[in-house]
PDB file of all heavy atoms in Angstrom:
ATOM      1  N   VAL O   1      11.440   8.193 -52.415  1.00  0.00           N
ATOM      2  CA  VAL O   1      10.310   9.161 -52.040  1.00  0.00           C
ATOM      3  C   VAL O   1      10.002   8.882 -50.550  1.00  0.00           C
ATOM      4  O   VAL O   1       9.810   7.798 -50.107  1.00  0.00           O
ATOM      5  CB  VAL O   1       9.027   8.898 -52.920  1.00  0.00           C
ATOM      6  CG1 VAL O   1       7.948   9.776 -52.504  1.00  0.00           C
ATOM      7  CG2 VAL O   1       9.373   9.177 -54.475  1.00  0.00           C
ATOM      8  N   GLY O   2       9.798  10.001 -49.822  1.00  0.00           N
ATOM      9  CA  GLY O   2       9.350   9.913 -48.482  1.00  0.00           C
ATOM     10  C   GLY O   2       9.189  11.257 -47.892  1.00  0.00           C
ATOM     11  O   GLY O   2       9.784  12.262 -48.291  1.00  0.00           O
ATOM     12  N   GLU O   3       8.348  11.366 -46.766  1.00  0.00           N
ATOM     13  CA  GLU O   3       8.029  12.591 -46.148  1.00  0.00           C
ATOM     14  C   GLU O   3       9.189  12.968 -45.189  1.00  0.00           C
ATOM     15  O   GLU O   3       9.568  12.066 -44.394  1.00  0.00           O
ATOM     16  CB  GLU O   3       6.649  12.575 -45.499  1.00  0.00           C
ATOM     17  CG  GLU O   3       5.510  12.669 -46.422  1.00  0.00           C
ATOM     18  CD  GLU O   3       5.542  13.992 -47.299  1.00  0.00           C
ATOM     19  OE1 GLU O   3       5.767  15.058 -46.778  1.00  0.00           O
ATOM     20  OE2 GLU O   3       5.299  13.835 -48.584  1.00  0.00           O
ATOM     21  N   GLY O   4       9.493  14.208 -45.156  1.00  0.00           N
ATOM     22  CA  GLY O   4      10.566  14.593 -44.162  1.00  0.00           C
ATOM     23  C   GLY O   4      11.896  14.521 -44.819  1.00  0.00           C
ATOM     24  O   GLY O   4      12.324  13.612 -45.524  1.00  0.00           O
ATOM     25  N   LYS O   5      12.810  15.474 -44.414  1.00  0.00           N
ATOM     26  CA  LYS O   5      14.112  15.586 -45.015  1.00  0.00           C
ATOM     27  C   LYS O   5      15.218  14.654 -44.309  1.00  0.00           C
ATOM     28  O   LYS O   5      16.037  14.083 -44.930  1.00  0.00           O
ATOM     29  CB  LYS O   5      14.644  17.047 -44.995  1.00  0.00           C
ATOM     30  CG  LYS O   5      13.910  17.965 -45.775  1.00  0.00           C
ATOM     31  CD  LYS O   5      14.495  19.307 -45.724  1.00  0.00           C
ATOM     32  CE  LYS O   5      13.738  20.367 -46.554  1.00  0.00           C
ATOM     33  NZ  LYS O   5      14.242  21.745 -46.332  1.00  0.00           N
ATOM     34  N   SER O   6      15.094  14.595 -42.987  1.00  0.00           N
ATOM     35  CA  SER O   6      16.177  14.123 -42.227  1.00  0.00           C
ATOM     36  C   SER O   6      16.558  12.698 -42.451  1.00  0.00           C
ATOM     37  O   SER O   6      17.631  12.262 -42.667  1.00  0.00           O
ATOM     38  CB  SER O   6      15.904  14.286 -40.688  1.00  0.00           C
ATOM     39  OG  SER O   6      14.634  13.549 -40.359  1.00  0.00           O
ATOM     40  N   THR O   7      15.439  11.761 -42.454  1.00  0.00           N
ATOM     41  CA  THR O   7      15.689  10.325 -42.779  1.00  0.00           C
ATOM     42  C   THR O   7      16.135  10.075 -44.133  1.00  0.00           C
ATOM     43  O   THR O   7      17.055   9.363 -44.348  1.00  0.00           O
ATOM     44  CB  THR O   7      14.390   9.499 -42.490  1.00  0.00           C
ATOM     45  OG1 THR O   7      13.945   9.858 -41.079  1.00  0.00           O
ATOM     46  CG2 THR O   7      14.724   8.109 -42.500  1.00  0.00           C
ATOM     47  N   SER O   8      15.515  10.628 -45.195  1.00  0.00           N
ATOM     48  CA  SER O   8      16.019  10.462 -46.553  1.00  0.00           C
ATOM     49  C   SER O   8      17.433  10.900 -46.788  1.00  0.00           C
ATOM     50  O   SER O   8      18.181  10.249 -47.486  1.00  0.00           O
ATOM     51  CB  SER O   8      15.053  11.200 -47.533  1.00  0.00           C
ATOM     52  OG  SER O   8      15.013  12.603 -47.277  1.00  0.00           O
ATOM     53  N   ARG O   9      17.786  12.049 -46.193  1.00  0.00           N
ATOM     54  CA  ARG O   9      19.101  12.506 -46.258  1.00  0.00           C
ATOM     55  C   ARG O   9      20.147  11.551 -45.619  1.00  0.00           C
ATOM     56  O   ARG O   9      21.146  11.327 -46.161  1.00  0.00           O
ATOM     57  CB  ARG O   9      19.269  13.921 -45.645  1.00  0.00           C
ATOM     58  CG  ARG O   9      18.750  15.031 -46.506  1.00  0.00           C
ATOM     59  CD  ARG O   9      18.951  16.349 -45.927  1.00  0.00           C
ATOM     60  NE  ARG O   9      18.610  17.435 -46.849  1.00  0.00           N
ATOM     61  CZ  ARG O   9      18.618  18.651 -46.609  1.00  0.00           C
ATOM     62  NH1 ARG O   9      19.166  19.210 -45.424  1.00  0.00           N
ATOM     63  NH2 ARG O   9      18.237  19.612 -47.500  1.00  0.00           N
ATOM     64  N   PHE O  10      19.790  11.015 -44.497  1.00  0.00           N
ATOM     65  CA  PHE O  10      20.615  10.018 -43.895  1.00  0.00           C
ATOM     66  C   PHE O  10      20.733   8.746 -44.707  1.00  0.00           C
ATOM     67  O   PHE O  10      21.828   8.178 -44.841  1.00  0.00           O
ATOM     68  CB  PHE O  10      20.129   9.732 -42.465  1.00  0.00           C
ATOM     69  CG  PHE O  10      21.146   8.735 -41.797  1.00  0.00           C
ATOM     70  CD1 PHE O  10      22.356   9.205 -41.333  1.00  0.00           C
ATOM     71  CD2 PHE O  10      20.574   7.410 -41.528  1.00  0.00           C
ATOM     72  CE1 PHE O  10      23.180   8.352 -40.587  1.00  0.00           C
ATOM     73  CE2 PHE O  10      21.534   6.585 -40.858  1.00  0.00           C
ATOM     74  CZ  PHE O  10      22.768   6.885 -40.458  1.00  0.00           C
ATOM     75  N   VAL O  11      19.578   8.324 -45.224  1.00  0.00           N
ATOM     76  CA  VAL O  11      19.667   7.111 -46.170  1.00  0.00           C
ATOM     77  C   VAL O  11      20.631   7.438 -47.355  1.00  0.00           C
ATOM     78  O   VAL O  11      21.394   6.546 -47.693  1.00  0.00           O
ATOM     79  CB  VAL O  11      18.280   6.729 -46.596  1.00  0.00           C
ATOM     80  CG1 VAL O  11      18.271   5.699 -47.860  1.00  0.00           C
ATOM     81  CG2 VAL O  11      17.482   6.194 -45.478  1.00  0.00           C
ATOM     82  N   ILE O  12      20.420   8.595 -47.946  1.00  0.00           N
ATOM     83  CA  ILE O  12      21.376   8.986 -49.138  1.00  0.00           C
ATOM     84  C   ILE O  12      22.795   8.956 -48.592  1.00  0.00           C
ATOM     85  O   ILE O  12      23.740   8.403 -49.304  1.00  0.00           O
ATOM     86  CB  ILE O  12      20.917  10.309 -49.703  1.00  0.00           C
ATOM     87  CG1 ILE O  12      19.559  10.233 -50.283  1.00  0.00           C
ATOM     88  CG2 ILE O  12      22.011  10.690 -50.741  1.00  0.00           C
ATOM     89  CD1 ILE O  12      19.421   9.306 -51.523  1.00  0.00           C
ATOM     90  N   ARG O  13      23.073   9.576 -47.450  1.00  0.00           N
ATOM     91  CA  ARG O  13      24.415   9.619 -47.038  1.00  0.00           C
ATOM     92  C   ARG O  13      25.067   8.288 -46.715  1.00  0.00           C
ATOM     93  O   ARG O  13      26.241   8.035 -47.087  1.00  0.00           O
ATOM     94  CB  ARG O  13      24.535  10.562 -45.767  1.00  0.00           C
ATOM     95  CG  ARG O  13      25.970  10.981 -45.391  1.00  0.00           C
ATOM     96  CD  ARG O  13      25.928  11.735 -44.096  1.00  0.00           C
ATOM     97  NE  ARG O  13      25.684  10.992 -42.972  1.00  0.00           N
ATOM     98  CZ  ARG O  13      26.559  10.243 -42.241  1.00  0.00           C
ATOM     99  NH1 ARG O  13      27.864  10.218 -42.716  1.00  0.00           N
ATOM    100  NH2 ARG O  13      26.270   9.529 -41.265  1.00  0.00           N
ATOM    101  N   ARG O  14      24.248   7.481 -46.171  1.00  0.00           N
ATOM    102  CA  ARG O  14      24.782   6.109 -45.810  1.00  0.00           C
ATOM    103  C   ARG O  14      25.016   5.351 -47.141  1.00  0.00           C
ATOM    104  O   ARG O  14      26.004   4.577 -47.243  1.00  0.00           O
ATOM    105  CB  ARG O  14      23.647   5.328 -44.969  1.00  0.00           C
ATOM    106  CG  ARG O  14      23.668   5.701 -43.570  1.00  0.00           C
ATOM    107  CD  ARG O  14      24.834   5.228 -42.805  1.00  0.00           C
ATOM    108  NE  ARG O  14      24.966   3.818 -42.774  1.00  0.00           N
ATOM    109  CZ  ARG O  14      24.320   3.137 -41.848  1.00  0.00           C
ATOM    110  NH1 ARG O  14      23.718   3.720 -40.701  1.00  0.00           N
ATOM    111  NH2 ARG O  14      24.492   1.707 -41.706  1.00  0.00           N
ATOM    112  N   PHE O  15      24.117   5.535 -48.120  1.00  0.00           N
ATOM    113  CA  PHE O  15      24.387   4.901 -49.451  1.00  0.00           C
ATOM    114  C   PHE O  15      25.692   5.349 -50.090  1.00  0.00           C
ATOM    115  O   PHE O  15      26.478   4.511 -50.517  1.00  0.00           O
ATOM    116  CB  PHE O  15      23.211   5.174 -50.338  1.00  0.00           C
ATOM    117  CG  PHE O  15      23.556   4.932 -51.778  1.00  0.00           C
ATOM    118  CD1 PHE O  15      23.646   3.634 -52.280  1.00  0.00           C
ATOM    119  CD2 PHE O  15      23.572   6.006 -52.623  1.00  0.00           C
ATOM    120  CE1 PHE O  15      23.958   3.450 -53.596  1.00  0.00           C
ATOM    121  CE2 PHE O  15      23.804   5.751 -54.022  1.00  0.00           C
ATOM    122  CZ  PHE O  15      24.064   4.565 -54.507  1.00  0.00           C
ATOM    123  N   LEU O  16      25.891   6.678 -50.050  1.00  0.00           N
ATOM    124  CA  LEU O  16      27.187   7.146 -50.602  1.00  0.00           C
ATOM    125  C   LEU O  16      28.428   6.642 -49.840  1.00  0.00           C
ATOM    126  O   LEU O  16      29.439   6.411 -50.399  1.00  0.00           O
ATOM    127  CB  LEU O  16      27.119   8.723 -50.589  1.00  0.00           C
ATOM    128  CG  LEU O  16      26.100   9.412 -51.460  1.00  0.00           C
ATOM    129  CD1 LEU O  16      26.144  10.773 -51.496  1.00  0.00           C
ATOM    130  CD2 LEU O  16      26.247   8.833 -53.047  1.00  0.00           C
ATOM    131  N   SER O  17      28.327   6.551 -48.484  1.00  0.00           N
ATOM    132  CA  SER O  17      29.501   6.145 -47.727  1.00  0.00           C
ATOM    133  C   SER O  17      29.834   4.633 -47.926  1.00  0.00           C
ATOM    134  O   SER O  17      30.951   4.288 -47.609  1.00  0.00           O
ATOM    135  CB  SER O  17      29.137   6.381 -46.255  1.00  0.00           C
ATOM    136  OG  SER O  17      28.237   5.468 -45.717  1.00  0.00           O
ATOM    137  N   ARG O  18      28.873   3.920 -48.513  1.00  0.00           N
ATOM    138  CA  ARG O  18      29.118   2.492 -48.728  1.00  0.00           C
ATOM    139  C   ARG O  18      29.827   2.198 -50.124  1.00  0.00           C
ATOM    140  O   ARG O  18      30.217   1.116 -50.411  1.00  0.00           O
ATOM    141  CB  ARG O  18      27.824   1.693 -48.632  1.00  0.00           C
ATOM    142  CG  ARG O  18      27.294   1.588 -47.170  1.00  0.00           C
ATOM    143  CD  ARG O  18      25.803   1.524 -47.151  1.00  0.00           C
ATOM    144  NE  ARG O  18      25.232   0.354 -47.765  1.00  0.00           N
ATOM    145  CZ  ARG O  18      24.329  -0.442 -47.172  1.00  0.00           C
ATOM    146  NH1 ARG O  18      24.004  -0.201 -45.845  1.00  0.00           N
ATOM    147  NH2 ARG O  18      23.841  -1.532 -47.727  1.00  0.00           N
ATOM    148  N   LEU O  19      29.957   3.347 -50.929  1.00  0.00           N
ATOM    149  CA  LEU O  19      30.560   3.110 -52.241  1.00  0.00           C
ATOM    150  C   LEU O  19      32.036   3.019 -52.196  1.00  0.00           C
ATOM    151  O   LEU O  19      32.657   3.505 -51.256  1.00  0.00           O
ATOM    152  CB  LEU O  19      30.112   4.294 -53.092  1.00  0.00           C
ATOM    153  CG  LEU O  19      28.590   4.511 -53.437  1.00  0.00           C
ATOM    154  CD1 LEU O  19      28.407   5.825 -54.172  1.00  0.00           C
ATOM    155  CD2 LEU O  19      28.026   3.346 -54.144  1.00  0.00           C
ATOM    156  N   ASP O  20      32.567   2.362 -53.185  1.00  0.00           N
ATOM    157  CA  ASP O  20      34.044   2.212 -53.302  1.00  0.00           C
ATOM    158  C   ASP O  20      34.683   3.641 -53.458  1.00  0.00           C
ATOM    159  O   ASP O  20      34.079   4.510 -53.877  1.00  0.00           O
ATOM    160  CB  ASP O  20      34.459   1.360 -54.487  1.00  0.00           C
ATOM    161  CG  ASP O  20      34.085   0.039 -54.233  1.00  0.00           C
ATOM    162  OD1 ASP O  20      33.942  -0.440 -53.090  1.00  0.00           O
ATOM    163  OD2 ASP O  20      33.908  -0.744 -55.335  1.00  0.00           O
ATOM    164  N   GLN O  21      35.946   3.722 -53.015  1.00  0.00           N
ATOM    165  CA  GLN O  21      36.528   5.116 -53.025  1.00  0.00           C
ATOM    166  C   GLN O  21      36.731   5.525 -54.461  1.00  0.00           C
ATOM    167  O   GLN O  21      36.872   6.742 -54.712  1.00  0.00           O
ATOM    168  CB  GLN O  21      37.952   4.974 -52.230  1.00  0.00           C
ATOM    169  CG  GLN O  21      37.846   4.863 -50.825  1.00  0.00           C
ATOM    170  CD  GLN O  21      37.146   6.098 -50.259  1.00  0.00           C
ATOM    171  OE1 GLN O  21      37.609   7.280 -50.570  1.00  0.00           O
ATOM    172  NE2 GLN O  21      36.191   5.933 -49.302  1.00  0.00           N
ATOM    173  N   GLU O  22      36.789   4.623 -55.481  1.00  0.00           N
ATOM    174  CA  GLU O  22      36.990   5.043 -56.771  1.00  0.00           C
ATOM    175  C   GLU O  22      35.752   5.607 -57.345  1.00  0.00           C
ATOM    176  O   GLU O  22      35.789   6.300 -58.491  1.00  0.00           O
ATOM    177  CB  GLU O  22      37.478   3.857 -57.651  1.00  0.00           C
ATOM    178  CG  GLU O  22      38.853   3.495 -57.394  1.00  0.00           C
ATOM    179  CD  GLU O  22      39.396   2.423 -58.336  1.00  0.00           C
ATOM    180  OE1 GLU O  22      38.601   1.877 -59.170  1.00  0.00           O
ATOM    181  OE2 GLU O  22      40.541   2.086 -58.346  1.00  0.00           O
ATOM    182  N   VAL O  23      34.640   5.439 -56.811  1.00  0.00           N
ATOM    183  CA  VAL O  23      33.333   6.054 -57.277  1.00  0.00           C
ATOM    184  C   VAL O  23      33.285   7.475 -56.896  1.00  0.00           C
ATOM    185  O   VAL O  23      33.499   7.904 -55.787  1.00  0.00           O
ATOM    186  CB  VAL O  23      32.148   5.264 -56.779  1.00  0.00           C
ATOM    187  CG1 VAL O  23      30.865   5.924 -57.179  1.00  0.00           C
ATOM    188  CG2 VAL O  23      32.160   3.880 -57.046  1.00  0.00           C
ATOM    189  N   VAL O  24      33.059   8.314 -57.874  1.00  0.00           N
ATOM    190  CA  VAL O  24      32.957   9.781 -57.619  1.00  0.00           C
ATOM    191  C   VAL O  24      31.439  10.126 -57.298  1.00  0.00           C
ATOM    192  O   VAL O  24      30.524   9.719 -58.116  1.00  0.00           O
ATOM    193  CB  VAL O  24      33.365  10.576 -58.925  1.00  0.00           C
ATOM    194  CG1 VAL O  24      33.002  12.169 -58.595  1.00  0.00           C
ATOM    195  CG2 VAL O  24      34.861  10.384 -59.122  1.00  0.00           C
ATOM    196  N   ALA O  25      31.178  10.598 -56.089  1.00  0.00           N
ATOM    197  CA  ALA O  25      29.854  10.857 -55.745  1.00  0.00           C
ATOM    198  C   ALA O  25      29.600  12.363 -55.522  1.00  0.00           C
ATOM    199  O   ALA O  25      30.355  13.081 -54.909  1.00  0.00           O
ATOM    200  CB  ALA O  25      29.600  10.176 -54.351  1.00  0.00           C
ATOM    201  N   VAL O  26      28.610  12.820 -56.156  1.00  0.00           N
ATOM    202  CA  VAL O  26      28.139  14.209 -56.046  1.00  0.00           C
ATOM    203  C   VAL O  26      26.793  14.348 -55.448  1.00  0.00           C
ATOM    204  O   VAL O  26      25.905  13.617 -55.811  1.00  0.00           O
ATOM    205  CB  VAL O  26      28.138  14.926 -57.473  1.00  0.00           C
ATOM    206  CG1 VAL O  26      27.625  16.315 -57.466  1.00  0.00           C
ATOM    207  CG2 VAL O  26      29.399  14.823 -58.187  1.00  0.00           C
ATOM    208  N   ARG O  27      26.729  15.185 -54.412  1.00  0.00           N
ATOM    209  CA  ARG O  27      25.423  15.216 -53.690  1.00  0.00           C
ATOM    210  C   ARG O  27      24.861  16.797 -53.763  1.00  0.00           C
ATOM    211  O   ARG O  27      25.582  17.589 -53.181  1.00  0.00           O
ATOM    212  CB  ARG O  27      25.632  14.691 -52.302  1.00  0.00           C
ATOM    213  CG  ARG O  27      24.335  14.807 -51.504  1.00  0.00           C
ATOM    214  CD  ARG O  27      24.635  14.113 -50.076  1.00  0.00           C
ATOM    215  NE  ARG O  27      23.430  14.394 -49.202  1.00  0.00           N
ATOM    216  CZ  ARG O  27      23.549  14.544 -47.920  1.00  0.00           C
ATOM    217  NH1 ARG O  27      24.761  14.581 -47.348  1.00  0.00           N
ATOM    218  NH2 ARG O  27      22.582  14.828 -47.151  1.00  0.00           N
ATOM    219  N   ILE O  28      23.786  16.955 -54.315  1.00  0.00           N
ATOM    220  CA  ILE O  28      23.134  18.211 -54.379  1.00  0.00           C
ATOM    221  C   ILE O  28      22.085  18.290 -53.265  1.00  0.00           C
ATOM    222  O   ILE O  28      21.050  17.586 -53.455  1.00  0.00           O
ATOM    223  CB  ILE O  28      22.544  18.627 -55.726  1.00  0.00           C
ATOM    224  CG1 ILE O  28      23.586  18.254 -56.892  1.00  0.00           C
ATOM    225  CG2 ILE O  28      22.043  19.987 -55.850  1.00  0.00           C
ATOM    226  CD1 ILE O  28      24.753  19.141 -56.794  1.00  0.00           C
ATOM    227  N   VAL O  29      22.322  19.031 -52.264  1.00  0.00           N
ATOM    228  CA  VAL O  29      21.356  18.964 -51.021  1.00  0.00           C
ATOM    229  C   VAL O  29      20.127  19.736 -51.191  1.00  0.00           C
ATOM    230  O   VAL O  29      19.027  19.301 -50.899  1.00  0.00           O
ATOM    231  CB  VAL O  29      22.151  19.258 -49.809  1.00  0.00           C
ATOM    232  CG1 VAL O  29      21.256  19.318 -48.519  1.00  0.00           C
ATOM    233  CG2 VAL O  29      23.374  18.274 -49.538  1.00  0.00           C
ATOM    234  N   GLY O  30      20.234  21.046 -51.548  1.00  0.00           N
ATOM    235  CA  GLY O  30      19.155  21.848 -51.511  1.00  0.00           C
ATOM    236  C   GLY O  30      18.600  22.077 -52.958  1.00  0.00           C
ATOM    237  O   GLY O  30      19.220  21.648 -53.974  1.00  0.00           O
ATOM    238  N   PRO O  31      17.328  22.438 -53.111  1.00  0.00           N
ATOM    239  CA  PRO O  31      16.736  22.673 -54.334  1.00  0.00           C
ATOM    240  C   PRO O  31      17.468  23.827 -55.170  1.00  0.00           C
ATOM    241  O   PRO O  31      17.833  24.831 -54.583  1.00  0.00           O
ATOM    242  CB  PRO O  31      15.311  23.165 -54.101  1.00  0.00           C
ATOM    243  CG  PRO O  31      15.365  23.608 -52.639  1.00  0.00           C
ATOM    244  CD  PRO O  31      16.409  22.883 -51.982  1.00  0.00           C
ATOM    245  N   CYS O  32      17.639  23.623 -56.465  1.00  0.00           N
ATOM    246  CA  CYS O  32      18.421  24.598 -57.279  1.00  0.00           C
ATOM    247  C   CYS O  32      17.334  25.431 -58.012  1.00  0.00           C
ATOM    248  O   CYS O  32      16.378  24.898 -58.548  1.00  0.00           O
ATOM    249  CB  CYS O  32      19.291  23.927 -58.257  1.00  0.00           C
ATOM    250  SG  CYS O  32      20.614  22.937 -57.514  1.00  0.00           S
ATOM    251  N   GLU O  33      17.507  26.724 -58.139  1.00  0.00           N
ATOM    252  CA  GLU O  33      16.576  27.598 -58.699  1.00  0.00           C
ATOM    253  C   GLU O  33      16.908  27.902 -60.266  1.00  0.00           C
ATOM    254  O   GLU O  33      16.103  28.494 -60.846  1.00  0.00           O
ATOM    255  CB  GLU O  33      16.647  28.915 -57.989  1.00  0.00           C
ATOM    256  CG  GLU O  33      16.182  28.876 -56.566  1.00  0.00           C
ATOM    257  CD  GLU O  33      16.177  30.182 -55.880  1.00  0.00           C
ATOM    258  OE1 GLU O  33      16.592  31.163 -56.575  1.00  0.00           O
ATOM    259  OE2 GLU O  33      15.759  30.322 -54.760  1.00  0.00           O
ATOM    260  N   SER O  34      17.930  27.350 -60.740  1.00  0.00           N
ATOM    261  CA  SER O  34      18.201  27.532 -62.163  1.00  0.00           C
ATOM    262  C   SER O  34      19.057  26.334 -62.626  1.00  0.00           C
ATOM    263  O   SER O  34      19.883  25.759 -61.845  1.00  0.00           O
ATOM    264  CB  SER O  34      18.941  28.818 -62.419  1.00  0.00           C
ATOM    265  OG  SER O  34      20.250  28.855 -61.935  1.00  0.00           O
ATOM    266  N   ALA O  35      19.118  26.110 -63.980  1.00  0.00           N
ATOM    267  CA  ALA O  35      19.902  25.052 -64.535  1.00  0.00           C
ATOM    268  C   ALA O  35      21.412  25.421 -64.335  1.00  0.00           C
ATOM    269  O   ALA O  35      22.305  24.533 -64.143  1.00  0.00           O
ATOM    270  CB  ALA O  35      19.618  24.825 -66.069  1.00  0.00           C
ATOM    271  N   THR O  36      21.862  26.738 -64.490  1.00  0.00           N
ATOM    272  CA  THR O  36      23.187  27.100 -64.304  1.00  0.00           C
ATOM    273  C   THR O  36      23.668  26.811 -62.854  1.00  0.00           C
ATOM    274  O   THR O  36      24.814  26.364 -62.664  1.00  0.00           O
ATOM    275  CB  THR O  36      23.400  28.545 -64.637  1.00  0.00           C
ATOM    276  OG1 THR O  36      22.895  28.852 -65.992  1.00  0.00           O
ATOM    277  CG2 THR O  36      24.784  28.982 -64.517  1.00  0.00           C
ATOM    278  N   GLU O  37      22.837  27.087 -61.923  1.00  0.00           N
ATOM    279  CA  GLU O  37      23.256  26.867 -60.546  1.00  0.00           C
ATOM    280  C   GLU O  37      23.413  25.367 -60.270  1.00  0.00           C
ATOM    281  O   GLU O  37      24.364  24.864 -59.657  1.00  0.00           O
ATOM    282  CB  GLU O  37      22.141  27.307 -59.526  1.00  0.00           C
ATOM    283  CG  GLU O  37      22.438  27.120 -58.128  1.00  0.00           C
ATOM    284  CD  GLU O  37      21.325  27.483 -57.156  1.00  0.00           C
ATOM    285  OE1 GLU O  37      20.291  27.992 -57.635  1.00  0.00           O
ATOM    286  OE2 GLU O  37      21.345  27.090 -55.962  1.00  0.00           O
ATOM    287  N   PHE O  38      22.542  24.530 -60.851  1.00  0.00           N
ATOM    288  CA  PHE O  38      22.559  23.081 -60.722  1.00  0.00           C
ATOM    289  C   PHE O  38      23.809  22.523 -61.323  1.00  0.00           C
ATOM    290  O   PHE O  38      24.570  21.704 -60.643  1.00  0.00           O
ATOM    291  CB  PHE O  38      21.285  22.486 -61.413  1.00  0.00           C
ATOM    292  CG  PHE O  38      21.374  20.947 -61.529  1.00  0.00           C
ATOM    293  CD1 PHE O  38      21.193  20.247 -60.304  1.00  0.00           C
ATOM    294  CD2 PHE O  38      21.505  20.387 -62.733  1.00  0.00           C
ATOM    295  CE1 PHE O  38      21.226  18.796 -60.382  1.00  0.00           C
ATOM    296  CE2 PHE O  38      21.461  18.994 -62.817  1.00  0.00           C
ATOM    297  CZ  PHE O  38      21.314  18.191 -61.596  1.00  0.00           C
ATOM    298  N   MET O  39      24.112  22.887 -62.556  1.00  0.00           N
ATOM    299  CA  MET O  39      25.333  22.366 -63.237  1.00  0.00           C
ATOM    300  C   MET O  39      26.577  22.928 -62.536  1.00  0.00           C
ATOM    301  O   MET O  39      27.542  22.294 -62.423  1.00  0.00           O
ATOM    302  CB  MET O  39      25.293  22.834 -64.709  1.00  0.00           C
ATOM    303  CG  MET O  39      24.234  22.200 -65.546  1.00  0.00           C
ATOM    304  SD  MET O  39      24.275  20.394 -65.634  1.00  0.00           S
ATOM    305  CE  MET O  39      25.886  20.160 -66.426  1.00  0.00           C
ATOM    306  N   GLY O  40      26.522  24.101 -61.936  1.00  0.00           N
ATOM    307  CA  GLY O  40      27.703  24.723 -61.291  1.00  0.00           C
ATOM    308  C   GLY O  40      28.047  23.936 -60.095  1.00  0.00           C
ATOM    309  O   GLY O  40      29.184  23.734 -59.751  1.00  0.00           O
ATOM    310  N   GLN O  41      26.972  23.528 -59.364  1.00  0.00           N
ATOM    311  CA  GLN O  41      27.236  22.737 -58.073  1.00  0.00           C
ATOM    312  C   GLN O  41      27.788  21.345 -58.502  1.00  0.00           C
ATOM    313  O   GLN O  41      28.688  20.851 -57.768  1.00  0.00           O
ATOM    314  CB  GLN O  41      25.936  22.452 -57.369  1.00  0.00           C
ATOM    315  CG  GLN O  41      25.410  23.710 -56.757  1.00  0.00           C
ATOM    316  CD  GLN O  41      24.329  23.396 -55.608  1.00  0.00           C
ATOM    317  OE1 GLN O  41      24.334  22.372 -54.982  1.00  0.00           O
ATOM    318  NE2 GLN O  41      23.393  24.343 -55.454  1.00  0.00           N
ATOM    319  N   ILE O  42      27.448  20.742 -59.581  1.00  0.00           N
ATOM    320  CA  ILE O  42      28.030  19.476 -59.978  1.00  0.00           C
ATOM    321  C   ILE O  42      29.526  19.670 -60.274  1.00  0.00           C
ATOM    322  O   ILE O  42      30.311  18.941 -59.880  1.00  0.00           O
ATOM    323  CB  ILE O  42      27.229  18.876 -61.221  1.00  0.00           C
ATOM    324  CG1 ILE O  42      25.815  18.515 -60.760  1.00  0.00           C
ATOM    325  CG2 ILE O  42      27.903  17.679 -61.706  1.00  0.00           C
ATOM    326  CD1 ILE O  42      24.920  17.985 -61.850  1.00  0.00           C
ATOM    327  N   ILE O  43      29.735  20.686 -61.122  1.00  0.00           N
ATOM    328  CA  ILE O  43      31.062  20.927 -61.562  1.00  0.00           C
ATOM    329  C   ILE O  43      31.936  21.329 -60.419  1.00  0.00           C
ATOM    330  O   ILE O  43      33.189  20.894 -60.286  1.00  0.00           O
ATOM    331  CB  ILE O  43      31.101  22.214 -62.609  1.00  0.00           C
ATOM    332  CG1 ILE O  43      30.435  21.763 -63.934  1.00  0.00           C
ATOM    333  CG2 ILE O  43      32.512  22.511 -62.941  1.00  0.00           C
ATOM    334  CD1 ILE O  43      30.946  20.460 -64.559  1.00  0.00           C
ATOM    335  N   SER O  44      31.500  22.125 -59.525  1.00  0.00           N
ATOM    336  CA  SER O  44      32.255  22.328 -58.304  1.00  0.00           C
ATOM    337  C   SER O  44      32.560  21.166 -57.480  1.00  0.00           C
ATOM    338  O   SER O  44      33.743  20.984 -56.924  1.00  0.00           O
ATOM    339  CB  SER O  44      31.516  23.316 -57.443  1.00  0.00           C
ATOM    340  OG  SER O  44      32.240  23.654 -56.236  1.00  0.00           O
ATOM    341  N   ALA O  45      31.698  20.195 -57.409  1.00  0.00           N
ATOM    342  CA  ALA O  45      31.784  18.994 -56.590  1.00  0.00           C
ATOM    343  C   ALA O  45      32.954  17.969 -57.295  1.00  0.00           C
ATOM    344  O   ALA O  45      33.510  17.314 -56.557  1.00  0.00           O
ATOM    345  CB  ALA O  45      30.493  18.287 -56.517  1.00  0.00           C
TER     346      ALA O  45
END
């Protein structure tokens, strides 16, 4: 939790970059307006 997008996004990106290559990482950046859109983004990733 934190105010502002830029720093939290960078923290998330840095966290993902530190994971092992065998870890599958999915990142949903923008707010999703429906459950179908949300699940679709995961499946696409």
